[in-house]
Amino acid sequence: MKYVIQYQINPSFCLGVSSATAGTPVLLNLLAGVGNPNTQWDVDPSSGLITLVGNSNLALAYSGTSPGNGTPLIVAQIVLGAPSQRWNWVGNPPDINSLGAPGFVVDNSNGGQQPGNKIQLWQFQGGNTNQAWTFTPVPTLEKFALQDKELVSAR
């Protein structure tokens, strides 16, 4: 199932990329309607992969081999078992925990609320709103978009 990963503090924003090519930074994007293939993700809790719908060969990953506070998140070609591409979000809401860098999570840099804000790896801090995400199924967004469209046409 496809999901949009929304910023919990302001669900008008979500995780996405400007293009579906390896090495592209993951940034905060403005959510429009149900999103687009570059802001939609397939998630597999058994493998820990979060893959981009716009190019299913690309997975959410941290860049480099020495993760730490501020390490940029990118989309990278899937390498099975690569620690940088494995995540846990099940049983940990609203955090998305890195399995390759224990104790680190997906973080919205400085809590910025503008398109293009950097998404990074940061040490987990309980209650830090920069680290709070919601996985919203695309069919749910489609349902709300249809309801909004019907309300507008009924006016």
Side-chain angles (χ1 to χ4, degrees):
M1 179 181 300
K2 296 184 277 188
Y3 291 86
V4 171
I5 304 173
Q6 292 176 278
Y7 186 41
Q8 204 170 66
I9 298 309
N10 185 344
S12 297
F13 291 100
C14 62
L15 296 183
V17 295
S18 60
S19 72
T21 55
T24 301
V26 175
L27 303 170
L28 198 65
N29 283 254
L30 194 56
L31 176 60
V34 298
N36 64 57
N38 290 341
T39 60
Q40 295 176 355
W41 304 86
D42 280 316
V43 299
D44 181 357
S46 59
S47 70
L49 287 174
I50 299 175
T51 55
L52 189 64
V53 169
N55 181 339
S56 60
N57 293 318
L58 297 176
L60 178 67
Y62 57 79
S63 61
T65 57
S66 300
N69 285 340
T71 299
L73 296 185
I74 61 170
V75 288
Q77 284 295 128
I78 294 174
V79 176
L80 292 180
S84 65
Q85 298 177 355
R86 297 187 61 232
W87 305 93
N88 181 19
W89 57 91
V90 178
N92 297 309
D95 310 310
I96 305 171
N97 298 278
S98 172
L99 295 175
F104 287 86
V105 297
V106 174
D107 180 276
N108 179 28
S109 179
N110 296 315
Q113 293 189 40
Q114 65 276 347
N117 202 58
K118 176 183 172 182
I119 302 300
Q120 63 190 0
L121 204 59
W122 200 268
Q123 196 164 26
F124 171 73
Q125 299 166 322
N128 183 341
T129 57
N130 299 349
Q131 301 173 350
W133 305 96
T134 301
F135 287 74
T136 305
V138 169
T140 300
L141 290 171
E142 289 170 337
K143 178 179 156 188
F144 287 126
L146 180 60
Q147 288 173 348
D148 287 346
K149 189 175 185 179
E150 289 171 353
L151 285 173
V152 168
S153 65
R155 290 183 183 164

